[in-house]
């Protein structure tokens, strides 16, 4: 039983990853969006280097929230439209585990490149090494929360008319705790204080959402499918 | 445990009948409490030694803020009842509560902002409590938007319940924000019952106003729930019968 679950999960992850590699616009576009938001942010703030360094991490965090959000509606959409979700519900593997696998694949394909890009951009923009590492670590611990919580909202709105806008409306308020602790870590690092507490908090949030969000998303998918 | 009594009272038809009576009583109690609380707060309570007369807005502001959190918890509990135990009434109460919660949140924000101008010199600061209360308003609005987007009421209610459950993570953040972050908004003066840092003459009207708000909420939510029931069960015989009775009266 356990090995069959493992095979199923690996298959789902590999399938989703392969799909995003083949349809590369799916992860390139959000990445581009992410970079453009940061670039526009830089333009808006102006050329004052010190001011920019102070608020660049905030810009990166906002950019990653937006980039995650615009991409969320695609998480279950194609599987919902072609009936894959129905097959997943029927399969002997628990739906929540399969949904968890889908979320991990989504995180690997979308959040990972963005975090890498954030660190590279941060280095180019000349962030101090402490701030840069705090930013990278907080994004690394925070972005799974974004994907996991986002999955619940994505499942709730999948296939709805105007779903993408509705999705951003309901998901952005839920990102508040992650943003608070992520930015607190960066701010502390900039002041030369310890960032451990904030990172522990983010890690706690990540584990909490990793245990609960797949269940929530699976329940939401079942509810949405009962509609059709 | 035997939940038969619950099912008896929670069946939409019975609920409709007993809530008609209950609304009257709750409404009366609420009106009395409002009258007593407002006179106590606006007339009898002494002016604050620092803030003078303008502290009296507390009697509108603080109970609204309590209600904004309380109604969210009502919404979550009712939604969970509907989601897990398939109590239809739970779905309806949750749906009926959401706009009320949104308005109380708005009222708390608006009165707080009016209070902030003379006291802090600004209508708005990006303070932890203000921001988190604003986020709570967005949570309510998101919930209402989701309910509006899904046509099937059953599905909308269950989807809303999940969203509300996920949103509960923000409730402790709002509640403890004044303790965790030391910002402009003052700390709690009421909740520490062993040594409340507010004088009894000011506290009693405030508590009365809090009760008045709760009774007001119960009254309105019952009325709104009855509308939900009529809409939801419009094809049931008892609803048609009742409509005919109303017509003949």
């Amino acid at each position: 039983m356990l090995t069959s679950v493992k095979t199923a999960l690996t298959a789902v992850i590999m399938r989703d990853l392969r799909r995003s590699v083949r349809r590369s616009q799916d992860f390139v576009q959000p990445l581009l969006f992410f970079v453009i938001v940061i670039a526009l942010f830089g333009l808006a703030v102006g050329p004052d280097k010190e001011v920019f360094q102070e608020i660049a991490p905030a810009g990166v965090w906002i950019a990653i929230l937006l980039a995650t959000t615009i991409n969320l509606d695609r998480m279950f959409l194609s599987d919902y439209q072609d009936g894959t979700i129905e097959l997943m519900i029927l399969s002997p593997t628990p739906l929540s585990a399969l949904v968890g696998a889908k979320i991990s694949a989504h995180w690997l394909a979308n959040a990972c490149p963005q975090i890498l890009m954030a660190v590279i951009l941060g280095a180019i923009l000349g962030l101090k090494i402490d701030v840069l590492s705090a930013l990278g670590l907080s994004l690394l611990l925070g972005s799974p929360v974004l994907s996991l919580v986002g999955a619940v909202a994505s499942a709730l709105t999948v296939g709805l008319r105007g779903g993408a806008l509705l999705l951003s409306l309901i998901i952005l308020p839920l990102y508040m705790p992650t943003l608070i602790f992520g930015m607190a870590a960066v701010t502390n690092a900039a002041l030369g204080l310890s960032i451990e507490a904030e990172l522990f908090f983010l890690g706690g949030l990540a584990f909490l959402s990793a245990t609960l969000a797949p269940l929530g998303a699976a329940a939401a998918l079942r509810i949405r499918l009962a509609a059709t | 445990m035997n939940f038969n009594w619950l099912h008896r009272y929670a069946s939409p038809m019975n609920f409709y009948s007993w809530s008609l009576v209950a609304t009257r009583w709750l409404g009366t109690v609420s009106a009395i409490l409002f009258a007593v609380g407002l006179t106590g707060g606006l007339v009898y309570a002494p002016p604050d030694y620092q803030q003078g007369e303008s502290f009296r807005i507390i009697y509108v502001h603080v109970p609204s803020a309590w209600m904004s959190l309380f109604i969210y918890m009502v919404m979550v509990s009712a939604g969970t009842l509907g989601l897990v135990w398939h109590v239809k009434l739970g779905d309806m109460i949750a749906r009926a509560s959401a706009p009320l919660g949104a308005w109380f949140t708005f009222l708390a924000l608006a009165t707080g902002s009016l209070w902030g101008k003379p006291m802090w010199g600004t209508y708005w600061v990006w303070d932890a409590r203000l921001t988190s209360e604003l986020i709570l308003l967005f949570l309510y609005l998101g919930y209402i938007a989701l309910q509006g987007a899904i046509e099937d009421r059953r599905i909308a209610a269950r989807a809303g319940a999940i969203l509300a459950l996920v949103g509960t993570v923000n409730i402790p953040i709002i509640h403890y924000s004044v303790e965790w972050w030391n910002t402009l908004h003052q700390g709690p003066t009421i909740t520490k019952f062993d040594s409340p840092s507010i004088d009894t003459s000011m506290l009693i009207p405030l508590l009365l106003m809090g009760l008045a708000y709760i009774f007001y909420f119960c009254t309105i939510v019952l009325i709104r729930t009855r509308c939900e029931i009529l809409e939801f069960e419009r094809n049931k015989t008892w609803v048609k019968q009742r409509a005919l009775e109303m017509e003949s009266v």
Side-chain angles (χ1 to χ4, degrees):
Chain A
M1 180 60 195
L2 200 61
T3 43
S4 76
V5 170
K6 236 187 239 169
T7 338
L9 297 189
T10 335
V12 169
I13 294 182
M14 290 315 288
R15 166 178 165 275
D16 278 17
L17 283 181
R18 221 176 279 134
R19 201 167 57 176
S20 46
V21 170
R22 288 189 188 148
R23 253 201 338 213
S24 49
Q25 70 265 30
D26 270 15
F27 77 96
V28 172
Q29 281 170 359
L31 192 59
L32 269 179
F33 177 83
F34 177 68
V35 176
I36 290 173
V37 170
I38 293 180
L40 288 180
F41 188 76
L43 266 182
V45 170
D48 189 335
K49 200 159 186 216
E50 273 183 18
V51 177
F52 184 74
Q53 284 203 351
E54 222 168 86
I55 51 181
V60 171
W61 260 99
I62 294 295
I64 209 157
L65 289 188
L66 294 178
T68 312
T69 310
I70 57 153
N71 202 29
L72 272 178
D73 65 316
R74 298 190 202 166
M75 194 185 265
F76 298 112
L77 188 61
S78 65
D79 284 354
Y80 175 80
Q81 283 168 339
D82 68 11
T84 311
I85 302 280
E86 267 137 337
L87 288 179
M88 283 181 170
I89 291 178
L90 292 176
S91 89
T93 317
L95 180 62
S96 49
L98 293 174
V99 167
K102 278 190 74 64
I103 301 171
S104 337
H106 188 266
W107 182 78
L108 284 172
N110 291 286
C112 273
Q114 285 167 15
I115 297 172
L116 206 60
M117 187 57 88
V119 174
I120 293 172
L121 281 177
I124 293 175
L125 296 171
L127 290 182
K128 272 185 284 171
I129 188 72
D130 294 353
V131 178
L132 192 61
S133 60
L135 181 64
L137 283 173
S138 64
L139 285 177
L140 201 61
L141 287 172
S143 61
V145 185
L146 303 185
S147 298
L148 285 157
V149 177
V152 181
S154 175
L156 281 175
T157 54
V158 68
L160 284 180
R161 245 180 298 118
L165 186 59
L166 178 65
L167 176 59
S168 11
L169 276 184
I170 65 178
I171 196 61
L172 285 174
L174 297 176
Y175 282 167
M176 179 180 71
T178 322
L179 179 67
I180 289 175
F181 290 113
M183 272 315 294
V186 180
T187 317
N188 278 2
L191 294 172
L193 301 170
S194 155
I195 57 168
E196 267 178 31
E198 282 77 17
L199 291 185
F200 276 130
F201 239 113
L202 280 177
L205 281 179
F207 276 106
L208 183 70
S209 47
T211 36
L212 295 179
L215 295 173
L221 281 176
R222 277 181 213 277
I223 289 171
R224 291 289 302 134
L225 276 168
T228 46
Chain B
M1 280 245 286
N2 190 349
F3 284 111
N4 277 340
W5 60 271
L6 180 69
H7 281 288
R8 199 164 58 244
Y9 285 108
S11 93
M13 192 173 74
N14 290 332
F15 173 85
Y16 195 92
S17 317
W18 70 253
S19 77
L20 270 174
V21 185
T23 311
R24 245 167 261 152
W25 284 104
L26 291 169
T28 319
V29 174
S30 160
I32 295 172
L33 283 170
F34 264 120
V36 177
L38 278 177
T39 356
L42 298 185
V43 181
Y44 290 107
D48 188 69
Y49 81 103
Q50 260 185 336
Q51 308 194 352
E53 300 288 349
S54 58
F55 96 98
R56 296 187 193 280
I57 200 170
I58 196 176
Y59 297 111
V60 184
H61 172 70
V62 170
S64 316
W66 286 341
M67 292 308 288
S68 67
L69 293 178
F70 173 74
I71 295 177
Y72 196 88
M73 292 323 288
V74 168
M75 205 172 87
V76 171
S77 327
T80 313
L81 268 184
L83 184 69
V84 180
W85 289 283
H86 299 275
V87 180
K88 260 197 259 167
L89 192 64
D91 293 347
M92 293 167 188
I93 291 180
R95 193 185 172 105
S97 313
L100 285 170
W103 275 115
F104 274 117
T105 316
F106 177 77
L107 193 62
L109 282 168
T111 51
S113 164
L114 288 176
W115 195 5
K117 185 62 183 168
M119 289 308 129
W120 303 337
T122 168
Y123 286 114
W124 186 262
V125 275
W126 291 103
D127 150 285
R129 167 133 305 174
L130 275 68
T131 312
S132 52
E133 189 75 12
L134 185 65
I135 297 285
L136 181 65
L137 180 63
F138 291 144
L139 277 180
Y140 276 119
L141 295 181
Y143 178 90
I144 297 170
L146 183 67
Q147 299 270 303
I150 306 177
E151 268 163 36
D152 186 317
R153 292 231 164 177
R154 238 1 244 136
I155 310 234
R158 312 189 64 194
I162 291 187
L163 179 64
L165 271 173
V166 177
T168 37
V169 288
N170 285 347
I171 297 298
I173 293 191
I174 299 169
H175 188 78
Y176 291 110
S177 55
V178 276
E179 288 168 37
W180 291 350
W181 294 279
N182 246 330
T183 45
L184 211 46
H185 196 287
Q186 60 183 345
T189 42
I190 321 289
T191 39
K192 21 181 191 175
F193 263 114
D194 41 343
S195 59
S197 43
I198 178 171
D199 190 71
T200 328
S201 57
M202 295 177 178
L203 179 64
I204 286 172
L206 187 57
L207 293 180
L208 285 178
M209 283 301 283
L211 276 178
Y213 271 51
I214 289 179
F215 276 95
Y216 172 79
F217 165 71
C218 293
T219 317
I220 303 296
V221 92
L222 288 185
I223 295 175
R224 290 184 56 89
T225 308
R226 280 211 300 278
C227 297
E228 293 285 331
I229 289 176
L230 288 185
E231 244 176 279
F232 196 84
E233 313 246 287
R234 60 185 174 277
N235 293 326
K236 296 272 174 70
T237 340
W238 71 268
V239 175
K240 285 180 183 164
Q241 253 170 7
R242 207 165 256 279
L244 287 177
E245 278 167 31
M246 294 293 279
E247 230 167 63
S248 60
V249 169

